[in-house]
Amino acid sequence: MLFMEIRIQCLCIDSADPAGTASFWESALGWRRTFEDEDQVCLEPPVGSPEDGIVPDLIFLKVPEG
């Protein structure tokens, strides 16, 4: 029997204000900002934490709707 592993690498979240939304989750989770531009922000767990490399990164993407 052949089993396949599937790993979710990131979770994309639509937002009218990616930086603001990411700031909330950055503080709430204690995660780190690893990429940012005006249209997207990426949060990852702290380096060396039990979640690092295991849980999906959070990517906040700018969308035109509110």
Side-chain angles (χ1 to χ4, degrees):
M1 187 180 294
L2 178 64
F3 291 98
M4 293 177 60
E5 277 191 34
I6 296 176
R7 180 174 179 265
I8 298 172
Q9 185 172 352
C10 65
L11 176 65
C12 297
I13 301 156
D14 291 349
S15 175
D17 177 18
T21 307
S23 290
F24 171 81
W25 287 107
E26 184 177 17
S27 294
L29 297 172
W31 285 21
R32 61 196 166 100
R33 216 174 267 231
T34 57
F35 178 81
E36 179 174 12
D37 68 16
E38 68 180 62
D39 293 330
Q40 70 179 24
V41 177
C42 181
L43 298 182
E44 297 180 29
V47 174
S49 69
E51 297 86 13
D52 188 24
I54 303 295
V55 298
D57 301 340
L58 300 178
I59 300 179
F60 300 88
L61 301 168
K62 186 172 182 93
V63 293
E65 59 273 2

